[in-house]
Amino acid sequence: MKIEWLERIYRLFGPDNGCCPVCERQLRNGSAALPVSIRHETPRTILSSLCGECAGRIPWIDEAACLVCGRPERCGDCLRRTNRHFRCCREAVRYDPAMRHWLAQYKYRGLERLEPVLAAMLAMPAERMIGRLAFDAVTAVPLAEERLLERGFNQAERLAARICDWYRVPYVPLLRRIRHTSKMSFIGRGGRLENMKGSFAVDVSLSGLEGREPKRVLLVDDIYTTGSTMNECAYVIRRSFPACEVYGVLLARS
Ligand SMILES: [Zn+2]
Ligand SMILES: [Zn+2]
């Protein structure tokens, strides 16, 4: 069944009807107008179901200062990078303590009611990209197998599936992990850049492309930190499909 339908039914009969999906407090007044523009009705409706306080916590990035990585401040990282394989990335929000908390609640505590909210936030940059360029496929950064077993789901894939459903772009599982990378938080920036090398591969057998070469792929992930994951994924996609342009949308820019 379509996710949109489920959401409609859930809104009508679900136990949270009338409660903010983030903090679960009873809604008294409707939340304030959305400060960014999203045309699709479903993500807009989801975001309007937040209480004013939670809606006001979302640190939207309405305008990117770095046109490469989407950062809202000018950024030296992109100037220094000499081997960029993706065209550009955009993020919905800054990765501030509130967003860190929301994402952790969803990823590590399995709070599923946050999933439509996070996907609706991601819809902001995704809608702009998809409105501007035609994509043959949307794909997600795959999770290391160990992480997937721990968590039971890949958050990037879940968010990407909703984007595909809303904007009618096919989801294609293009990438897979090929070796374990140690937890990123324990290594410094240099180590992290090196660490992503050789972590991904294109798996055309998984992809459902039926021998077609994708010309433009939209890559989805949750957090942009150094861009090394995005870059490595774009690199392997372009190694298989040299003419393919890779763009990225992510939930948060750290
Ligand atoms: Zn709330
Ligand atoms: Zn940048």
Side-chain angles (χ1 to χ4, degrees):
M1 205 194 296
K2 282 267 170 291
I3 292 166
E4 239 172 87
W5 252 104
L6 287 173
E7 258 156 28
R8 228 168 267 167
I9 293 167
Y10 187 77
R11 271 203 300 278
L12 285 174
F13 303 110
D16 286 354
N17 195 24
C19 289
C20 169
V22 178
C23 67
E24 285 195 293
R25 274 185 297 223
Q26 197 73 36
L27 289 173
R28 268 159 294 170
N29 325 312
S31 70
L34 200 58
V36 290
S37 119
I38 297 176
R39 285 194 191 159
H40 197 295
E41 197 195 330
T42 310
R44 247 192 9 239
T45 308
I46 293 167
L47 290 170
S48 70
S49 72
L50 267 62
C51 75
E53 206 175 308
C54 291
R57 284 212 183 97
I58 302 176
W60 292 106
I61 303 176
D62 198 18
E63 219 175 287
C66 176
L67 297 179
V68 175
C69 72
R71 193 175 181 171
E73 296 88 25
R74 301 228 285 155
C75 117
D77 285 8
C78 292
L79 288 174
R80 276 194 295 271
R81 193 193 301 281
T82 51
N83 57 342
R84 176 164 50 88
H85 303 288
F86 59 85
R87 284 300 182 103
C88 67
C89 293
R90 289 294 182 272
E91 299 83 18
V93 298
R94 294 167 188 269
Y95 193 48
D96 71 357
M99 295 303 104
R100 186 179 314 238
H101 180 66
W102 290 15
L103 249 171
Q105 293 275 313
Y106 169 57
K107 274 161 69 170
Y108 308 118
R109 310 212 36 217
L111 227 61
E112 285 197 40
R113 63 169 199 274
L114 284 176
E115 189 178 290
V117 177
L118 300 175
M121 285 156 53
L122 183 64
M124 188 272 277
E127 187 178 276
R128 290 183 185 181
M129 284 262 191
I130 294 167
R132 206 160 47 88
L133 299 161
F135 287 94
D136 301 305
V138 171
T139 199
V141 173
L143 219 52
E145 198 174 342
E146 216 178 71
R147 232 34 52 74
L148 191 61
L149 288 173
E150 263 164 35
R151 202 172 298 169
F153 65 97
N154 174 359
Q155 69 283 355
E157 198 179 280
R158 294 274 195 101
L159 299 178
R162 284 177 188 261
I163 296 298
C164 289
D165 189 45
W166 293 338
Y167 297 100
R168 306 259 168 256
V169 183
Y171 182 80
V172 175
L174 260 185
L175 297 163
R176 62 185 172 82
R177 287 268 180 170
I178 51 174
R179 72 171 169 81
H180 172 74
T181 51
S182 49
K183 273 214 164 108
M184 299 254 257
S185 32
F186 298 128
I187 43 184
R189 187 173 181 280
R192 181 185 297 205
L193 293 175
E194 269 310 303
N195 196 47
M196 296 319 295
K197 288 224 170 83
S199 306
F200 302 98
V202 163
D203 197 336
V204 192
S205 69
L206 285 174
S207 76
L209 284 167
E210 281 106 28
R212 284 177 302 118
E213 285 224 353
K215 291 197 176 58
R216 206 174 280 131
V217 168
L218 186 59
L219 192 51
V220 173
D221 204 2
D222 53 357
I223 306 161
Y224 186 113
T225 306
T226 60
S228 60
T229 301
M230 277 283 144
N231 207 33
E232 182 62 20
C233 288
Y235 167 73
V236 296
I237 291 172
R238 286 167 48 78
R239 201 172 48 189
S240 293
F241 309 112
C244 184
E245 294 175 353
V246 181
Y247 290 78
V249 284
L250 302 94
L251 187 66
R253 180 69 171 87
S254 96

